[in-house]
Amino acid sequence: MIKDLTEGNPQKVLWRFTIPMFISVIFQQLYNIADSVIAGKFAGEDALAAVGASYPITMIFMAIAVGSNVGCAVVISQLFGAKEYGKMKTAVYTTLLSSFVLAVVLTVGGLLGTQSLMRMIRTPDNIFSDGALYLRIYVGGLIFLFLYNVATGIFTALGDSKTPLYFLIGSSLGNIALDTWFVAGFHWGVAGVAWATFIAQGIACILALLTLVRRLRQVGTKEAFALFSWSMLKKISLIAVPSILQQSFVSVGNIFIQSLVNSFGSSVIAGYSAAIKLNTFSVTCFTTLGNGVSSFSAQNLGAGKVDRARKGLQAGVKMGLLTAVPFFIAFFIFGQNMIQLFMSGDASAVAMNTGISFLKIVAPFYFVISVKLVIDGMLRGAGAMVSFMAATFADLILRVILSYILASYFEVTGIWMSWPIGWSIATLMSVLFYLRGKWAEKFKMQ
């Protein structure tokens, strides 16, 4: 199922490659949304708020895992495109070993700092204990989270977007079943939500790693390869560290915003928790498309096919705009119905109105952010990390600063208004970086 993306019609190849990735995202987000839906429906508004309050902290750990995924995927894609299979295998095993060590360090740090992290974001007293409990169990499964994300990144780098899909389908359905069993059946509340995620992620991780090792053995190599290489780790880190920083800074920015949201009380937190999960669903779809463009461009640039990489980007932008249409319709027109999925019958009007307001403000700008994230995938695939990070940080810094400024004038609505402004300026920057063309210079000289 390993696939060479350097041959065939670029648009058709990209569509076939990314469609399984899109389906994977749907199941992955069902995985995340199920936690909040089941908590809100069966354990109440405070449980929904508790899961939501810890969400931006969990996203920091997810950001580091995703950044590691991106770093290894770019390097492995380029080596695979260049047919350097021995170095490719060294890159794979180096990534797995270093990711394991990093996950252990973060697990220890996260378990020791759970209480402090929850206090840092001003979590209300009535949801503090449940929020801390959810976070503690989540952190306990970080090794599974890290290795699973890295494994899926490696599959994608090798042109295989179907295998991660199969694991996600199984993991997501298992998580939803366990959520329902633990929360609705055993009445374990927030702890049940966390343990369901822990178990489902753990099983998926083990199966993904076993499949990856077996798949790599099928790739023949003439030269010997090392299981770990410091020089390869350095090469991967040149892409991974900026990606981790980018992902982490976005998550840190979201913590500042979550802290501001928390100051408005648990009902507002509950509404925001529902809306941000839906928003994350849409943005993750655009990000996944960007990741597909990243692997496509990395393989083709590694093979010296710059014009083909450009055609892939053009196809990716069209796909991004098409993907934005159903999310805009669902969230802008049917926002109330979407928020009601998370709420029990006794949910407060404040919680409902908070979620609906957020969706109506950000949904029209999905067409903008989809273009940015696809172009970012192209820049990342070319290894143009400075340009990639500059546009991302501009979005982050603007959203955080504007959320505090606008909240002083428009209260909680002002926070939501910072999203469209940050997205629009950052998208303009990404477009300009692409049009300058510096990302392609080193590949034209090959």
Side-chain angles (χ1 to χ4, degrees):
M1 299 180 74
I2 293 174
K3 183 173 178 59
D4 188 342
L5 303 177
T6 64
E7 302 294 337
N9 181 286
Q11 184 162 312
K12 290 181 180 179
V13 169
L14 189 60
W15 269 109
R16 290 170 183 166
F17 179 56
T18 54
I19 285 175
M21 296 173 68
F22 273 127
I23 300 173
S24 296
V25 168
I26 291 172
F27 279 94
Q28 185 179 44
Q29 293 308 308
L30 285 175
Y31 197 114
N32 294 328
I33 288 173
D35 289 351
S36 294
V37 169
I38 293 172
K41 287 289 188 182
F42 297 104
E45 187 175 296
D46 280 356
L48 173 60
V51 173
S54 60
Y55 182 65
I57 298 175
T58 65
M59 290 308 293
I60 289 182
F61 297 111
M62 176 64 80
I64 300 174
V66 170
S68 302
N69 170 321
V70 169
C72 74
V74 169
V75 173
I76 293 167
S77 290
Q78 291 179 356
L79 292 171
F80 183 69
K83 308 294 190 293
E84 297 184 39
Y85 299 132
K87 291 182 180 179
M88 180 200 75
K89 287 189 176 184
T90 296
V92 168
Y93 290 115
T94 297
T95 298
L96 292 173
L97 290 171
S98 55
S99 295
F100 176 80
V101 173
L102 179 59
V104 170
V105 172
L106 289 173
T107 299
V108 174
L111 290 174
L112 294 176
T114 298
Q115 298 280 337
S116 299
L117 289 170
M118 294 300 290
R119 290 193 185 95
M120 181 182 69
I121 60 172
R122 297 189 288 182
T123 306
D125 292 340
N126 61 313
I127 61 172
F128 186 92
S129 295
D130 277 347
L133 176 60
Y134 178 88
L135 181 59
R136 192 176 300 113
I137 297 172
Y138 180 94
V139 170
L142 276 184
I143 291 176
F144 296 139
L145 172 71
F146 264 71
L147 294 180
Y148 174 74
N149 271 275
V150 168
T152 58
I154 294 169
F155 281 124
T156 303
L158 299 177
D160 178 7
S161 55
K162 292 183 179 179
T163 298
L165 169 61
Y166 300 147
F167 287 126
L168 266 176
I169 291 174
S171 181
S172 300
L173 295 178
N175 182 67
I176 293 170
L178 290 171
D179 266 336
T180 305
W181 190 21
F182 292 165
V183 179
F186 292 164
H187 305 289
W188 287 359
V190 170
V193 173
W195 280 116
T197 300
F198 182 102
I199 295 170
Q201 187 82 67
I203 294 173
C205 171
I206 294 169
L207 293 177
L209 290 174
L210 291 174
T211 303
L212 176 61
V213 171
R214 187 185 66 192
R215 197 71 54 77
L216 286 172
R217 288 175 178 169
Q218 297 172 358
V219 179
T221 55
K222 295 180 181 179
E223 71 274 28
F225 62 91
L227 293 179
F228 182 85
S229 166
W230 286 106
S231 61
M232 186 61 72
L233 178 59
K234 180 180 178 180
K235 186 174 183 178
I236 294 169
S237 298
L238 289 175
I239 304 295
V241 171
S243 297
I244 290 172
L245 291 175
Q246 177 260 334
Q247 296 280 346
S248 299
F249 286 168
V250 169
S251 297
V252 169
N254 289 337
I255 284 181
F256 282 104
I257 293 173
Q258 182 74 54
S259 178
L260 182 59
V261 171
N262 287 357
S263 67
F264 288 90
S266 59
S267 292
V268 169
I269 297 172
Y272 175 67
S273 175
I276 201 65
K277 284 291 180 78
L278 293 170
N279 180 69
T280 300
F281 190 174
S282 61
V283 173
T284 302
C285 282
F286 306 140
T287 301
T288 297
L289 178 54
N291 291 341
V293 170
S294 182
S295 292
F296 181 91
S297 60
Q299 278 200 26
N300 282 280
L301 291 172
K305 299 183 178 182
V306 176
D307 289 340
R308 181 178 170 82
R310 291 183 188 274
K311 291 178 181 178
L313 174 67
Q314 293 169 6
V317 169
K318 292 177 185 177
M319 293 168 66
L321 293 173
L322 286 173
T323 304
V325 172
F327 286 114
F328 169 74
I329 294 172
F331 297 169
F332 188 82
I333 299 175
F334 301 104
Q336 181 173 344
N337 303 88
M338 301 303 294
I339 295 298
Q340 284 176 336
L341 294 173
F342 295 81
M343 303 291 179
S344 59
D346 58 352
S348 66
V350 172
M352 282 294 302
N353 292 335
T354 295
I356 295 169
S357 173
F358 178 93
L359 292 180
K360 284 191 175 294
I361 289 172
V362 303
F365 291 85
Y366 288 156
F367 299 98
V368 175
I369 192 62
S370 67
V371 173
K372 176 191 184 301
L373 293 172
V374 169
I375 294 176
D376 285 352
M378 176 69 160
L379 296 173
R380 193 170 58 232
M385 301 309 295
V386 174
S387 299
F388 167 69
M389 291 177 65
T392 301
F393 291 159
D395 170 28
L396 168 64
I397 294 168
L398 282 169
R399 277 197 290 127
V400 173
I401 293 175
L402 287 173
S403 65
Y404 279 83
I405 294 174
L406 294 175
S408 64
Y409 293 97
F410 304 103
E411 296 188 331
V412 73
T413 302
I415 304 175
W416 318 150
M417 292 165 62
S418 67
W419 260 264
I421 299 173
W423 283 353
S424 299
I425 294 174
T427 299
L428 178 60
M429 292 178 65
S430 291
V431 170
L432 292 175
F433 286 137
Y434 170 73
L435 293 177
R436 284 176 62 193
K438 288 194 173 184
W439 55 271
E441 290 178 358
K442 65 179 179 180
F443 297 101
K444 287 180 178 179
M445 293 185 294
Q446 288 182 352

